[in-house]
Amino acid sequence: MANRVNSQAETNVSVHDCGMMTEICNFCQALYWRNELNSSNKYTKCCHYGKVRLLNLAETPDLLKELLTNNSLEARNYQQHIREYNAALAFASLGADVKAPPGNGPYCFRTHGQIYHRIAPLYSDERFKPGYGQLYIFDASEANSRRLENNPSCLSSVMEKLDALLRTINSYAESYLQMHQLIQSNPTVNVKMIFMEHPDLDMRRYNAPTSRTEVAAIFVGDDGEPPANRDICIYPIGEGCKNISPLNQCNDPTIYPLLFPRGEQGWSNEMEHVEERRFVKRNRVTQLQFYAYRLSVRSGFSLLHSSGKLFQQYIVDAYVKTEGSRLNYIRLNQKDLRVEFYRGLLDALTTRASNNNLRVGKLVILSSSFQGSPRSMQQNYQDAMAMVRKFGLPDLFVAFTCKPSWPEILNAMQGRERPENRPDIVVRVFKMKLSELLDDPMKRKVFGCVTSYIYVIEFQERGLPHCHILLTLDSSSKIRTTDDIDKFVIAKLPNINVNRRLFEIVTKCMVHGPCGIINPNAPCMKDGECSKQFPKTFREETEENVNGYPVYKRRCIEPVRVGKHYIDNRWIVPYNPWLSKKYNAHINVEVCASLKSVKYLYKYVYKGHDAASITLKNVDSDDEILNFLDGRYVSAPEAMCV
């Protein structure tokens, strides 16, 4: 089999092609690639095969469509600063620790810790400047001047047009203005405005309902019934901002007026499936089902998918809200998790607290059943080590990274869209490519007979997914000699005259850096040295085992110009020619040479998400859920993989 792989590397290898996104769901008209069929030959990621049916969003206003598709000065400014425009015109604020990746690469919206949604009273306190929904009671020119003070990158002409649009068609803008007018006409009346979670409550208990009942905004006097816990209540004057429940249907339209300009309602805990058949039990739509339906791609212009950086923010926000609902269920059902049986953990916490003169409070457990939790990662690592005991040491380590310039991704773009702003397309194409890549060693046996494998998907700082795979071969396919290593893995520049296509792939995807003296500001540089030990040294022959890994053959050649720099074999990341030619991507292939590398490899595969360090403080509880939320990072592509 090694000869087969090696011979194919020297001949034409057909490039893997997912085709075009032309398959259509029969129920909701969502678009798919043919390779996205599940094992039952159905498309279920959009509407769960017709089980979820939601009302489609209203038609996009002409102004927003022009700003997102044109190439004028105003349109380019809007596309570049769409998040600032949205925040300036929003009725409520989104509080998040946005951690943009370092460097000058493509934009990636990434948050650290929790996300909060807050709304202010109708009138601002003397200590603070008016903002968010408070600005809609001002004259348009004054409101825009205040917005531009905080957003100098935005254009006045664009802000004025957007403000005029929202004042005309947005239900929330009208509600704020109506409340202001009601208070001005009746100064002695104490009234508050409520965006209700249950719009079909008895309206006779309230006064002055708004004309746009789809928002369910009503004004309540002193003798009115108090709002429910999840209702959004706007007081004339209050102390600071109030949190909005992520379960409230007004959350999305108040935070994202440029995605839902008419105030279209978001997900509600009371939302049900739309059934055409009578006498059928009506089931509630979950948050995950709601956002899966909304984020599915359909033909025609989509305001949501065309909104670039704001679309990234919306995806992350939707993920965090959905994840928060799952975690809240775990928090409220600790008895079902049998926390009292975590005796070893309780003893460890008691000892640790005693050593630090602290006291142990309430214990909240985040169990291993929650995917991505520290316990889940630890459990996966232990399972991986059990596989080593059963099947032996891994033989090959493969790292597969998504390439945003794949034709399947570019062909799915519309208008002025860019791959970094369509994480939904990026992760879908990567998943199809990964499924094909896993079939190569498992079904097509390109490395021989595989007895076991594990893999995990991670996300780079700028959101691109990449996968780490460990393969264990059977005894007849084991890599035992340097000749076997050279058949599977090489670390050299191909001859451009013999194999031009492979040469172009390697120089574009498999060159490290350059770094060191050539480029001292490279991301891999730590204390003046490359953390990956590049450039490597020239070597005439491959050595089997040096510190757990082979040292690959890198013969001295004439340097070749790649971009701004000249490189040679010392800068080439080890790869398999057959895989590189088939997928046209960064696919690092390494041979595992000794027991020393096994533990590191499996720990690396299951090291978990990026997180900040957590310190022990004098608190009344040890809350693993809160620690998990405070520590994790979430980017838009990762959020799309739910």
Side-chain angles (χ1 to χ4, degrees), residues 485-549:
I485 295 174
D486 291 337
K487 289 176 183 179
F488 285 114
V489 183
I490 64 175
K492 67 177 183 179
L493 282 167
N495 189 322
I496 189 173
N497 298 319
V498 176
N499 202 333
R500 174 176 288 273
R501 184 159 71 91
L502 182 59
F503 176 85
E504 293 174 351
I505 293 172
V506 171
T507 53
K508 191 169 185 178
C509 302
M510 304 307 299
V511 177
H512 176 83
C515 57
I517 299 176
I518 301 176
N519 184 15
N521 296 321
C524 61
M525 295 296 290
K526 305 294 182 185
D527 299 326
E529 295 183 356
C530 175
S531 58
K532 309 299 181 183
Q533 287 81 50
F534 279 90
K536 306 294 185 179
T537 57
F538 288 120
R539 191 170 298 272
E540 287 296 319
E541 299 296 335
T542 299
E543 291 188 22
E544 290 187 40
N545 185 1
V546 178
N547 293 325
Y549 299 94

Side-chain angles (χ1 to χ4, degrees), residues 37-67:
L37 282 169
N38 64 8
S39 57
S40 301
N41 287 327
K42 296 179 180 179
Y43 301 112
T44 59
K45 295 294 185 180
C46 50
C47 62
H48 292 266
Y49 207 60
K51 293 181 180 179
V52 179
R53 300 186 184 183
L54 305 177
L55 296 176
N56 293 326
L57 296 175
E59 186 177 352
T60 303
D62 292 337
L63 173 62
L64 295 179
K65 188 173 182 179
E66 292 174 0
L67 290 173

Side-chain angles (χ1 to χ4, degrees), residues 26 59 73 83 204 213 245 296 302 313 337 369 411 417 421 430 452 456 472 559 612 637 640:
N26 295 329
E59 186 177 352
L73 176 63
R83 288 187 58 241
R204 292 172 296 179
T213 55
S245 169
S296 296
S302 170
Q313 177 180 322
L337 298 175
S369 60
N411 291 337
E417 292 178 351
N421 292 328
F430 177 75
S452 68
V456 66
T472 303
M640 280 303 306

